[in-house]
Amino acid sequence: MCGIVGYIGEQEPTKILLDGLKELEYRGYDSAGIAIFQNRKFANFKAIGKIVNLEEKIKKSNFSTDANKPSVGIGHTRWATHGKPTELNAHPHLGQYSYVVHNGIIENYKELKEDLIKKGHKFVSQTDTEVIVHLFEYFFNKDKNATKAFKDTIEKLKGAYSILLITQSEPNTIFFIKHGSPLAVAKGLNSEEILFASSDAPLIGIAKDVAYLEDGVYGVAKPDGVVFNTDVNWTTLPSSKQSAQKDGFRYFMEKEIYEQKDVVTDTMIGRMDDEHIIFDELDDKILDGINEIKICACGTSYHAALSASYLFERVAKIRCNVEIASEFRYKQPLLTKDILFVVISQSGETADTLEALKMAKKASLKTLTVCNVDNSSMTRTADFTILTRAGIEKGVASTKAFSTQTVVLWMLSLYFAQLKKNIPQKEIAKNIDILRTIPNSLKVEDSLHEKCRRLSKRYLHGHGFFFIGRDIFFPLALEGALKLKEISYLHAEGYPAGEMKHGPIALADPELFTIALMPEHLYYDKIKSNVEELSARDSTICAISPLDFELADDFIKVEKTKHYMNEFFEMLVVLQLFSMEVSIRLGNDVDMPRNLAKSVTVE
Ligand code: F6R
């Protein structure tokens, strides 16, 4: 996702901004740019692709700033959402005398843009961001008060946004707000120096104190200090860059589990209003002539696909088949033109999934990829792409990729239902209300994490784990088992709960650990009977449920909610935390488990 940096001070700003942007490369981006203001003059550079391209461009221009004179600068790495990755769409965006960088999405940009065009403002990009700078100048032109103009501007914006804005009308000043996307402000090592960044990695070594802004905090920064609209907490910056990238977490996996609540917000932004699902990246004729959806994927993405198959059939009423990509490739599948072929992949490079996609293309099927990496082989190959917007996932064991994929696929099932008009509009609106509560279901409470940590010590041995669930909780059980085996190296299987008595129950004894997913809102009584059967045969039961269950040897209580999808995401977090804590106790490398690679580009 996009990254932001900002600088006020007397050091050479170009290097500080470029170095800062490099530290944010891990967030993923497709273009970058900076704007610097010194001696009442602006300089602005933008480039597509890597930051070295931007660096080259600046070098070639012979641009330099006067040493020991105050300057102000902002920089941005852009991960395209509205408009293609072009120089014109790259940030910073210019109005007539101001530049802005923005991370997030302005949901009401179309209305704002139309209104500003009527008022005579000229737009050059396809982005949502450009409205911010025009809105600011519109308000400034009215009463020549930059602080008020910034406040009036942010009051008009809907969506998620972190913004830095600089303007000739107020030199050596950065106006800023944090609302939804991350933003930190820091005091530099030298006096009269203020810095901004999307995470603290760019600030380490060049700043001493930092305030990680909460949503709704905005203000005005000048060389001699920062004025906020509210109190903020300043803390000392960590000293190591490696730990900074982990934002204080022990492992990338842990950080990525915790950030799921934020990234799924990014996944949904701009893709729904109160009553409709909106996928601008799709064509509303996508289902014309389609009778079946076939999904191919591997590993965790395969589990997201299986989860989706329940939703496509139940919600959208479209037949859906899911296949493991490596199997699909060689089975000589029947590919008929009434199939919408969907691939799901975090990396967009997994060899088996990519080959399956190529086979579908060759058979002239309509193809769609649900992917986290733009410009990957799969997004370049498929007819349509929906980006999951999880940001870079560093832990080898996938976490936030799965939650964002599942959210996209759930939204897609609603979108298809909407296109086919086969569920009432109010049912879609109800689902949208539930979707909006999912970030909260993904929030990691300290008490829950502590419970998983304490319980983990009882599950370090035994002759195996069965993760069981029914319906959409079966693929979740598969995912829980995969997480555990990947990073703990313990044997674990995911199984449909109702299938245990057809064989695996023969394994039941106290050393067989059953992790039972027992949602209140989806076949509770059925799964309860299945767990009772295992308990009667002395299997050790760890139940995860919002409802108390006396037969459980261990019990992890999740919040009581209104819908099974809330329970799905709450239990997902429990499974991820549990695996991670078992792995830590066993002394394994959580982020780089043995024998595994993040992107499997070979067959
Ligand atoms: C599990 C995991 C793998 C990947 C699989 C597919 O934690 O990371 O199972 O899910 O290799 O990768 P993508 O989604 O990149 O196609």
Side-chain angles (χ1 to χ4, degrees), residues 42-54:
F42 271 125
N44 169 228
F45 301 92
K46 300 181 189 191
I48 302 173
K50 295 286 158 205
I51 290 163
V52 286
N53 301 350
L54 178 65

Side-chain angles (χ1 to χ4, degrees), residues 2 29-32 46-49 76-91 93 109 113 124-130 280-282 374-375 379-387 389:
C2 309
Y29 68 104
D30 37 50
S31 55
K46 300 181 189 191
I48 302 173
H76 190 267
T77 46
R78 173 171 186 258
W79 202 61
T81 53
H82 291 80
K84 295 200 174 310
T86 59
E87 269 189 32
L88 220 49
N89 287 335
H91 303 210
H93 287 286
Y109 85 100
K113 188 167 173 177
V124 293
S125 80
Q126 300 159 306
T127 65
D128 50 338
T129 301
E130 204 184 345
D280 285 336
E281 46 281 78
L282 301 182
D374 200 6
N375 290 317
T379 63
R380 290 197 308 267
T381 308
D383 301 323
F384 300 99
T385 293
I386 302 180
L387 292 174
R389 305 178 182 158

Side-chain angles (χ1 to χ4, degrees), residues 298-301 344-347 350 396-398 482-483 486 600:
C298 302
T300 290
S301 298
I344 305 175
S345 175
Q346 189 286 126
S347 60
T350 303
V396 165
S398 219
L482 180 65
K483 283 293 85 80
E486 277 180 298
V600 186

Side-chain angles (χ1 to χ4, degrees), residues 7-9 36-42 69-73 97-98 136 140 144 146-147 165-175 220-225:
Y7 177 74
I8 306 175
I36 291 170
F37 187 56
Q38 194 188 46
N39 296 335
R40 308 200 78 84
K41 271 199 259 129
F42 271 125
K69 279 210 172 161
S71 65
V72 55
Y97 47 84
S98 322
F136 170 80
F140 182 80
K144 307 288 179 224
T147 305
L165 184 143
I166 57 178
T167 173
Q168 277 176 345
S169 58
E170 192 103 1
N172 300 330
T173 304
I174 294 182
F175 295 93
V220 184
K222 291 180 182 286
D224 54 354

